[in-house]
Amino acid sequence: MRQNNQLGVYVLAIFILTLVTLISTPLHHYLDLANIVMIFLLVVFLNAHKLGRGPAIMSAVLAVALFDFFFVPPRFSFAVHDLQYLVTFLVMLCVGLVTAHLTTRLQKKTEDAVNKEHDTNRLYMLARELAGATTLGQIFEVVKKYLLSLGCQSALHLVDNQGNFPTLRYEVLMHDLALSALRQSSTLNITQLSNNDSQGFVVPIKSINQSFGVLIVQESAAIPDDYQVNVRKLEAVSDLATITMERLHYVDLAQQTQLEATSERLRSSILSALSHDLRTPLTGLVGMSDSLVMLTETKEIKIHSAATAIRDQARTMNNLLSNLLDMARLQVGKVKLKKEWQLFEDVIGASIQLLKPALVGHPITVQLDPDLPLINFDAVLIERVLCNLLENAAKYSPAEGVIEIRGFVNAETACISIRDHGKGFSEHNRDLLFQMFSRGDTESRLPGVGMGLAICKAIVEAHQGTISAETSNDGGAVVTIALPLGNPPEFKPELEI
């Protein structure tokens, strides 16, 4: 079909030149040969402008031949008696060829400019439609519609968290090509894999920080034979799709972060409100239960035991509410550190003394390195940390189990480790130990809601320190807090008088 069209263009050019020759022949008595030459050059120019380069070149050659045969004496013969006409033929041919070349070249540039403007407008429309897309499905539909207008079939394949393409798991070769396109960040030509020799490409959809997938584009069989898929245009489509997917990703991330922050603020507010509202009646309940225990010491054993149980439960509830209130204050940043340069041994001794009733039946060993320097910390808060850790050690240690406390220097930190001789931490939930309401043993019958270690972590991190938990090789849990050494002040010895 295309060959027939090209042949028709050449036939039309011949017909026009023949018609001009027939019209100009009766006029040769009235017009100079120079004017007739201008008529033929005008026809060559028009053919070049309307019919293209090939017909224009043929028109230039044919115009010289027709002018020689019908108008140059002797007429109706290609013989030339005057050599000056050879110059005329040569100039006429050169002018015709140059005119044909310049005209078709200018026309080609005009067509290219119009096509580029058209492509730019279509890409702009594509970008505008993608800007309104809110889901991956909408993105693919917009891209698919655009590529169909280019005569291409397309398929979008997304990469999962493991770096694989679930939709290509049964197509091993295409899966490997898609991975290769992502790794190289370049478009791959897969024309050789096509059964009908149509062009095909694997275009990566990838930003600097993240890979989203690939776009597999296949040339349609219904397009012209000389059509060529523009790779740069495909890559432009890929860039627009990448920008849109990245925008959706960051929008989802921002929404998730905002939701988590809102949930955390709401939880802290609820904890703070509950702690304040319940602490006052619980404080009174603890005081009255203590009085009740003292009043029933001389009474029947069952009554005294019941009063003691009420007191212990009231204290447990009071401690729980204190932990909740402290955690709420730490999370909203209302706790101000009152740091002072002091020794670890003072706060360790105060913690042991404070928890003396809870540590009954558990021998305590304390080992402090002699070169421990002064550390800058809030004694009340660090004491709270040690009390929580000692209480946990006593709670999860067997009867008469030894609790070991060590103080030492490690690199640029001063550390305190507390070790019990229980069963240690479970491997599957060690990463959750320091989260709120998380317990080392979720099925434990021991009282507690999993607030102690979370409070310890918040206090230690407020001191720019770290806290870690591990299970000792020979059994037992070990929790270590590490505080920065800093630059303690120097003490000058007093002068003897």
Side-chain angles (χ1 to χ4, degrees), residues 43 110 124 131 200 225 284 349 400 413 456:
V43 173
T110 304
Y124 169 75
D225 296 336
E400 303 301 326
T413 60
C456 293

Side-chain angles (χ1 to χ4, degrees), residues 328-336:
R329 288 175 175 173
L330 287 168
Q331 288 186 336
V332 298
K334 291 185 177 180
V335 176
K336 295 183 179 180

Side-chain angles (χ1 to χ4, degrees), residues 42-83:
L42 178 61
V43 173
V44 172
F45 172 80
L46 294 176
N47 285 345
H49 178 67
K50 296 296 183 180
L51 304 181
R53 183 188 301 271
I57 295 175
M58 184 206 68
S59 297
V61 176
L62 183 59
V64 172
L66 291 175
F67 177 75
D68 180 23
F69 188 82
F70 287 98
F71 298 97
V72 175
R75 297 180 61 195
F76 309 110
S77 171
F78 288 107
V80 179
H81 293 170
D82 192 347
L83 295 181

Side-chain angles (χ1 to χ4, degrees), residues 84-142:
Q84 291 185 0
Y85 287 112
L86 294 179
V87 177
T88 303
F89 298 155
L90 180 61
V91 172
M92 182 179 176
L93 179 61
C94 291
V95 171
L97 294 177
V98 171
T99 301
H101 173 73
L102 294 179
T103 303
T104 54
R105 183 178 178 184
L106 180 61
Q107 186 179 15
K108 183 65 169 61
K109 287 186 176 181
T110 304
E111 292 177 355
D112 291 342
V114 172
N115 291 334
K116 287 182 179 179
E117 181 183 5
H118 183 63
D119 291 340
T120 302
N121 289 334
R122 294 175 67 181
L123 284 174
Y124 169 75
M125 296 299 296
L126 174 65
R128 191 172 68 174
E129 292 183 11
L130 287 176
T134 57
T135 63
L136 291 176
Q138 291 178 357
I139 293 175
F140 177 62
E141 287 300 324
V142 172

Side-chain angles (χ1 to χ4, degrees), residues 467-483:
I467 183 170
S468 61
E470 60 182 354
T471 301
S472 179
N473 293 331
D474 52 352
V478 181
V479 181
T480 303
I481 64 172
L483 302 179

